[in-house]
Amino acid sequence: MASVLVVEDDQFVRSALIRHLTEATHTVRSVGTALEALREVAHFRFDVVILDLGLPDLDGSEALKMLRGITDVPVIIATARDDEAEIVRLLNDGADDYLVKPFSVEHLSARMAAVLRRSRAVAGAEPPPRVIQVGGLSIDPLRRQAELDGGRLDLTRREFDLLAFLAGRPGVVVPRKELLAEVWKQSYGDDQTIDVHLSWLRRKLGETAANPRYLHTLRGVGVKLEPPR
């Protein structure tokens, strides 16, 4: 059983989702706008959020970014849009999965089960170390804060996850498939997704691919993080 927040403005779709999820013994709360969704996650604990993109007050993609600013609750996007570029962008912005409308209740149940398995596995894992130190990098996984030579780094959620994952394995070359699986929680994806985030992260670390300090790419193999020599 899970606690689910349904964010859907179409009353017919909303009622159907509530009925199905309730019959599956989940606890369900529902809202029809992005602002109501933000208030809900600020006051209640949910195991998963099902988020429609076509909301009346704010596009769901913007709502996703705002949600990610206050919570790490798993988010499944429910959308009629099937543009691949937009789906990749939503996953990069913090969505954990997506479903293209119309979808069956069985499909939704399977996707929810997969997302919940991943989130509960992470929650049940051994707690991360208090602070990870690699050269001048200091990373606090619990507070989700990172510093370089004593200065605070302004990182997005995904940039922090990528940096923390690599820093937890200093000097180890991590294959791109493993990065997709562990950082993006995807079994497939485009190398460009990783390259873009590495580029953003390098810029904030004050380095470039041609002149790396911490992040080193081994072409055709993977990426590693190690302190400057």
Side-chain angles (χ1 to χ4, degrees):
M1 188 178 90
S3 176
V4 185
L5 174 64
V6 173
V7 187
E8 170 64 66
D9 69 319
D10 186 306
Q11 191 59 49
F12 177 79
V13 175
R14 188 169 158 187
S15 297
L17 287 173
I18 293 171
R19 183 175 63 255
H20 162 68
L21 293 169
T22 303
E23 289 173 352
T25 72
H26 299 302
T27 302
V28 185
R29 292 180 67 89
S30 67
V31 294
T33 69
L35 292 181
E36 287 176 311
L38 292 169
R39 282 196 291 267
E40 285 288 309
V41 299
H43 290 92
F44 300 97
R45 180 190 174 279
F46 295 100
D47 296 309
V48 64
V49 173
I50 300 172
L51 176 65
D52 177 39
L53 292 185
L55 299 173
D57 59 336
L58 193 65
D59 187 80
S61 60
E62 293 303 314
L64 172 64
K65 294 177 184 178
M66 296 175 73
L67 283 170
R68 279 292 164 252
I70 60 176
T71 180
D72 284 331
V73 62
V75 176
I76 299 176
I77 298 293
T79 176
R81 310 171 195 174
D82 59 358
D83 178 69
E84 182 177 352
E86 180 169 17
I87 289 170
V88 170
R89 179 173 59 80
L90 288 165
L91 291 170
N92 287 337
D93 284 344
D96 294 86
D97 206 343
Y98 70 92
L99 283 168
V100 177
K101 296 177 180 178
F103 51 79
S104 67
V105 292
E106 292 78 14
H107 195 174
L108 172 61
S109 293
R111 292 296 184 97
M112 276 185 54
V115 166
L116 289 169
R117 279 197 302 272
R118 291 198 297 265
S119 65
R120 287 166 178 169
V122 170
E126 184 178 343
R130 180 62 178 166
V131 176
I132 302 172
Q133 196 77 38
V134 182
L137 274 172
S138 179
I139 300 161
D140 187 336
L142 297 179
R143 293 187 178 182
R144 296 187 66 81
Q145 295 179 0
E147 295 181 352
L148 175 61
D149 299 329
R152 180 80 172 269
L153 290 171
D154 183 16
L155 304 178
T156 66
R157 174 176 177 265
R158 194 70 75 189
E159 288 166 355
F160 181 88
D161 290 344
L162 177 59
L163 181 64
F165 185 79
L166 291 170
R169 299 150 183 76
V172 176
V173 179
V174 181
R176 288 169 178 266
K177 284 186 177 179
E178 185 175 348
L179 288 176
L180 281 171
E182 299 298 331
V183 178
W184 276 265
K185 308 301 181 186
Q186 298 177 32
S187 58
Y188 63 91
D190 191 336
D191 280 358
Q192 185 179 7
T193 299
I194 298 174
D195 291 337
V196 168
H197 282 80
L198 283 172
S199 177
W200 292 339
L201 195 50
R202 283 193 176 102
R203 190 177 304 129
K204 293 179 180 180
L205 294 176
E207 62 181 68
T208 65
N211 188 25
R213 294 182 64 223
Y214 285 92
L215 293 170
H216 301 264
T217 300
L218 282 73
R219 189 176 297 277
V221 182
V223 183
K224 68 175 178 178
L225 184 147
E226 61 183 11
R229 296 177 181 177

